[in-house]
Amino acid sequence: MLGADEFISSPPRKTVRFGGTLTEILLKYEKGDSTDFELLKHQLSDPDIKDAQIINWLREFRASVAYLTKELEQLVNILLKLPWLRRSREVVEEYLGFLGNLVSAQTVHLRPCLRMIVSQFVPPRITIREDDVDISDSDDDDENISENFNTCHRALQTVASYVPSTPQFLMPILVELFPFINKSERTLECYVHNLLRVTVYLPTLRLQILELIIEKLLKLDVSTPQQDIEDAEETANNSASEEKSAEEGLFDMEEDEDRKGNKVVSASIERMAHPLAERLDILMTILFSYIKDVCHVDGENTCSITKFVVLLTSKLDISNTKDLYRDLVSVFDKLILPTHASCHVQYFMFYISSFKLGLAEAFLDHLWKKLQDPNNPSVIRQTAGSYIGSFLARAKFIPIVTVKACLDLLVNWLHKYIDNQDTGANAYCDVALHGPFYSTCQAVFYTLIFRHKQLLDGNLRKGLSYLQSLNFERIVMCQLNPLKICIPSVVNLFAAITRKYQLVFCYTIIERNNRQFIPVVRSGTGGDLVQTCTNPLDSFFPFDPYILKRSKKTIDPMYQFWEELCAEDLENLKKPIKKGTSEDEDDDFLKGETPQNDGVVEIAPNSYESNTRSPVSSIGSPADCYVPYPL
């Protein structure tokens, strides 16, 4: 028993309640007596409130939700700020019950409830100050973060079960609370991961959520040009090499190497040097994982002897895959196609198309319809052409039969276009008038550069007959002059290959185009600058090599790389094959020319930007390959 003095000096016990029951307090407040009401708010706002107190209050509030009208919004906001997530299981269960009762009886509080739940989709914020500067950010070391996220999704599902209109109120909140890109990588990772989890139990929101996520990824992508990423990697590698050399000079002990944890070393190797590229890499990895999880169902087989569960190869769920493909194509049309020169985000279409040939063909057909539809803006049609060429060239999973079918469509369209334009008033070289035509030409040339060996594989005579049937000569020599507009590296290699197989001789036209070329003079701050426009089509190859370290592991197995041209390759391209070769000679030729791995193509140009600024660190993306004109 405490004495009088001890009672006065000791703090009050947290289980003590003041002001009567909740119903009594609220009734007094309605009559104008707010004394107990203010005391109630003070007790609920106490940072040291105990679990037992929270449980008691929540039980009373659950029984009195009819009183929690719009006028008591301030009190409800205090309840929504209660630290319930990091409490005992009893508190969590009671709070979930309270949320259900509240939104079912007073839908006016639906938005604040949803906002409270979504705000928990990121790690808790910790306050850090350095030299009077607030650098507070997320607590990445919270051990219970995964369990907390699970509870948040339970809460969201509870609310949605009571209020069917929850999705339409939730989506604007998800957009508003999306973290800024300068937030920590962990914050962005958790928020995107939780958004994708929402699509599992609220499927009506999947398209909008995917659109939101991909829009944010696209902003990251275009804010981080590939050249900047490669420069940052090169700088980081040089710094690491210098530090390693210094360390080896000071300490030559094996113990120092042993002290380095394998996990730490591997993690540092996987990190991108560019901070925005690092964020993009993490988020692209999450997106790829989500696509795989939605489309594939893991099979199980129980061994009757050992009683162990053995996971079998995952099986593609056709229905789920088709539904997700439709959503992703919709996002692709809305966000990706109108965006010029994004480097990585578009690979979500490359990835899902790899699951089944039918998806890849559907994607190609979708792009083909965009390209040939005159009602689409010219820039969209040109971009669709770039995607077709890059996709056919780079996707290992597309068989040569599909490549030939696409070439037939593209080349036939080109010939029809020439029929309609080559003798009319617009029969002259003009990108503004004939942009889709030039883009299609470049797609065809680019595809041939990558796939010509496969087209000729097995039966040279049959392959040559097919290529001759495409009648490249008419395309190259038409009045629209595509060799003048297409990227020089594409034109150069196309000319070398078609000359070797005696399909068409391009060099006369190329030389004539070079003589007619007039440099562009532009006024700058330092005086007039002479600029050479070597990419008048303003085209790019959207599936150029993927360079984000983590997520590229998903893409690399299905991606067709090229290798640097060696002297023998250059020499072979300068030597035309002889006409009238026998079948045996055909086979001998193929033995020397066809690579063992069809997935590795030894010659190909890169996009314009990489051609003009190709760094040493760029893997699988060489500078412009120059094949000398024949003498």
Side-chain angles (χ1 to χ4, degrees):
M1 188 74 180
L2 294 174
D5 293 339
E6 292 176 324
F7 176 80
I8 294 173
S9 61
S10 64
R13 294 182 62 184
K14 294 297 181 181
T15 55
V16 175
R17 286 274 304 276
F18 299 98
T21 66
L22 177 63
T23 304
E24 293 171 351
I25 294 173
L26 296 180
L27 288 173
K28 287 182 181 179
Y29 181 71
E30 285 183 359
K31 296 177 181 179
D33 185 357
S34 62
T35 303
D36 291 341
F37 185 77
E38 294 299 324
L39 183 60
L40 168 64
K41 292 196 299 182
H42 178 74
Q43 291 180 69
L44 291 173
S45 302
D46 186 356
D48 297 322
I49 191 170
K50 302 296 183 182
D51 286 9
Q53 288 177 291
I54 293 178
I55 291 172
N56 289 336
W57 278 121
L58 288 176
R59 285 174 179 169
E60 290 193 47
F61 274 107
R62 289 183 67 179
S64 306
V65 289
Y67 294 98
L68 299 179
T69 58
K70 176 69 174 176
E71 288 70 24
L72 295 180
E73 183 178 8
Q74 187 179 12
L75 177 61
V76 172
N77 287 337
I78 293 174
L79 288 169
L80 295 178
K81 291 178 182 178
L82 281 173
W84 63 283
L85 263 181
R86 293 156 190 86
R87 297 280 181 164
S88 66
R89 181 175 296 275
E90 291 78 11
V91 172
V92 170
E93 296 301 325
E94 197 65 44
Y95 198 85
L96 291 177
F98 161 71
L99 284 179
N101 289 6
L102 178 64
V103 296
S104 59
Q106 304 287 349
T107 54
V108 68
H109 300 303
L110 177 61
R111 282 192 182 91
C113 288
L114 294 176
R115 180 181 293 275
M116 179 274 297
I117 296 170
V118 174
S119 68
Q120 304 292 338
F121 278 1
V122 295
R125 186 177 177 83
I126 55 175
T127 303
I128 306 173
R129 296 189 69 85
E130 287 187 4
D131 300 329
D132 295 329
V133 178
D134 185 4
I135 57 171
S136 302
D137 209 333
S138 64
D139 181 5
D140 296 341
D141 299 324
D142 190 345
E143 296 179 356
N144 300 318
I145 190 169
S146 180
E147 184 179 347
N148 292 340
F149 290 154
N150 291 337
T151 305
C152 285
H153 288 287
R154 278 187 61 201
L156 195 51
Q157 288 174 276
T158 299
V159 172
S161 67
Y162 282 103
V163 185
S165 60
T166 292
Q168 71 183 73
F169 293 97
L170 176 61
M171 195 61 218
I173 294 171
L174 296 179
V175 175
E176 181 184 347
L177 296 184
F178 202 105
F180 294 111
I181 59 174
N182 61 345
K183 292 294 182 181
S184 72
E185 297 146 10
R186 182 64 172 161
T187 296
L188 289 165
E189 178 184 9
C190 290
Y191 194 80
V192 169
H193 185 271
N194 284 314
L195 286 190
L196 292 172
R197 283 187 65 178
V198 171
T199 67
V200 176
Y201 54 86
L202 293 178
T204 57
L205 287 182
R206 184 169 72 181
L207 176 58
Q208 296 177 68
I209 287 176
L210 286 172
E211 186 177 316
L212 169 62
I213 292 172
I214 291 172
E215 181 184 11
K216 299 296 183 181
L217 293 180
L218 199 57
K219 288 181 179 178
L220 270 175
D221 201 4
V222 298
S223 301
T224 319
Q226 186 167 332
Q227 185 64 42
D228 291 355
I229 297 175
E230 291 176 331
D231 289 346
E233 288 297 320
E234 186 175 5
T235 301
N237 290 337
N238 292 338
S239 300
S241 299
E242 291 174 3
E243 291 177 6
K244 186 176 180 180
S245 300
E247 288 178 2
E248 289 176 351
L250 292 172
F251 305 102
D252 190 14
M253 301 180 183
E254 293 184 0
E255 291 82 1
D256 293 333
E257 295 297 324
D258 293 337
R259 281 199 293 265
K260 295 180 180 178
N262 290 333
K263 291 183 179 179
V264 175
V265 173
S266 61
S268 63
I269 291 174
E270 281 194 342
R271 281 190 66 86
M272 301 296 298
H274 196 293
L276 294 185
E278 172 68 8
R279 289 166 170 78
L280 181 61
D281 194 9
I282 291 172
L283 299 184
M284 287 300 295
T285 302
I286 294 173
L287 181 59
F288 288 153
S289 298
Y290 172 78
I291 293 172
K292 182 180 179 181
D293 290 345
V294 170
C295 297
H296 290 81
V297 178
D298 290 330
E300 291 185 358
N301 182 28
T302 305
C303 178
S304 58
I305 299 176
T306 61
K307 300 299 182 184
F308 290 149
V309 176
V310 182
L311 291 179
L312 302 176
T313 304
S314 59
K315 182 180 178 182
L316 186 68
D317 187 306
I318 300 299
S319 178
N320 288 351
T321 303
K322 285 182 178 179
D323 290 342
L324 181 59
Y325 171 83
R326 292 188 190 99
D327 285 345
L328 291 178
V329 165
S330 177
V331 178
F332 176 84
D333 286 347
K334 183 174 182 179
L335 298 177
I336 304 297
L337 266 184
T339 303
H340 180 68
S342 58
C343 297
H344 301 97
V345 179
Q346 60 265 24
Y347 269 89
F348 67 80
M349 287 306 306
F350 191 97
Y351 182 51
I352 194 172
S353 297
S354 70
F355 293 166
K356 192 174 181 62
L357 178 58
L359 295 175
E361 291 177 342
F363 183 48
L364 285 166
D365 182 63
H366 180 75
L367 293 169
W368 163 241
K369 289 175 180 175
K370 293 279 184 186
L371 171 62
Q372 65 172 341
D373 187 357
N375 295 319
N376 287 325
S378 179
V379 65
I380 296 297
R381 298 173 67 190
Q382 291 175 220
T383 305
S386 297
Y387 269 93
I388 291 174
S390 194
F391 191 60
L392 289 174
R394 294 296 193 173
K396 273 187 181 180
F397 47 85
I398 297 180
I400 199 64
V401 174
T402 303
V403 173
K404 289 174 70 174
C406 291
L407 283 176
D408 288 339
L409 282 175
L410 295 172
V411 171
N412 286 337
W413 184 84
L414 289 175
H415 285 301
K416 289 180 181 178
Y417 193 94
I418 293 171
D419 289 339
N420 295 330
Q421 300 288 339
D422 209 28
T423 57
N426 295 327
Y428 56 90
C429 186
D430 190 329
V431 176
L433 286 175
H434 309 293
F437 171 82
Y438 295 123
S439 180
T440 306
C441 287
Q442 185 160 277
V444 170
F445 299 164
Y446 191 66
T447 302
L448 183 71
I449 289 167
F450 267 88
R451 298 284 195 164
H452 72 279
K453 290 184 179 180
Q454 293 173 339
L455 288 166
L456 299 170
D457 193 12
N459 190 322
L460 178 60
R461 185 170 297 159
K462 187 176 180 181
L464 284 175
S465 177
Y466 169 73
L467 291 179
Q468 288 166 355
S469 71
L470 298 179
N471 196 2
F472 288 126
E473 184 174 6
R474 182 169 186 253
I475 296 172
V476 166
M477 295 186 175
C478 72
Q479 294 296 317
L480 303 182
N481 195 0
L483 297 184
K484 185 175 184 179
I485 300 300
C486 294
I487 293 174
S489 57
V490 175
V491 171
N492 194 36
L493 284 169
F494 173 78
I497 292 167
T498 53
R499 175 184 177 273
K500 176 178 178 59
Y501 297 107
Q502 299 187 15
L503 299 173
V504 60
F505 191 81
C506 302
Y507 292 109
T508 303
I509 300 173
I510 293 173
E511 290 172 353
R512 184 184 67 202
N513 290 338
N514 290 338
R515 287 195 299 269
Q516 294 175 349
F517 179 74
I518 302 175
V520 178
V521 180
R522 293 184 179 177
S523 180
T525 54
D528 289 343
L529 300 174
V530 178
Q531 298 182 345
T532 58
C533 183
T534 55
N535 186 11
L537 192 57
D538 195 26
S539 57
F540 72 110
F541 303 126
F543 296 119
D544 264 357
Y546 192 98
I547 62 174
L548 301 179
K549 294 180 181 178
R550 292 182 189 85
S551 47
K552 79 189 296 287
K553 295 176 183 177
T554 302
I555 299 300
D556 281 359
M558 62 196 68
Y559 188 79
Q560 191 155 300
F561 292 92
W562 67 65
E563 296 177 352
E564 295 286 351
L565 277 173
C566 62
E568 184 180 356
D569 292 327
L570 287 169
E571 193 63 31
N572 285 335
L573 281 179
K574 290 190 289 181
K575 294 178 182 178
I577 63 169
K578 297 179 180 179
K579 288 188 177 181
T581 54
S582 67
E583 197 65 32
D584 292 337
E585 289 175 332
D586 290 352
D587 293 338
D588 291 339
F589 168 79
L590 288 171
K591 287 177 184 177
E593 285 293 312
T594 306
Q596 296 297 317
N597 181 4
D598 287 341
V600 178
V601 177
E602 296 179 347
I603 52 174
N606 196 7
S607 62
Y608 169 67
E609 183 69 14
S610 298
N611 274 331
T612 54
R613 302 169 59 193
S614 179
V616 177
S617 63
S618 180
I619 300 174
S621 188
D624 191 1
C625 304
Y626 176 70
V627 181
Y629 290 175
L631 299 175

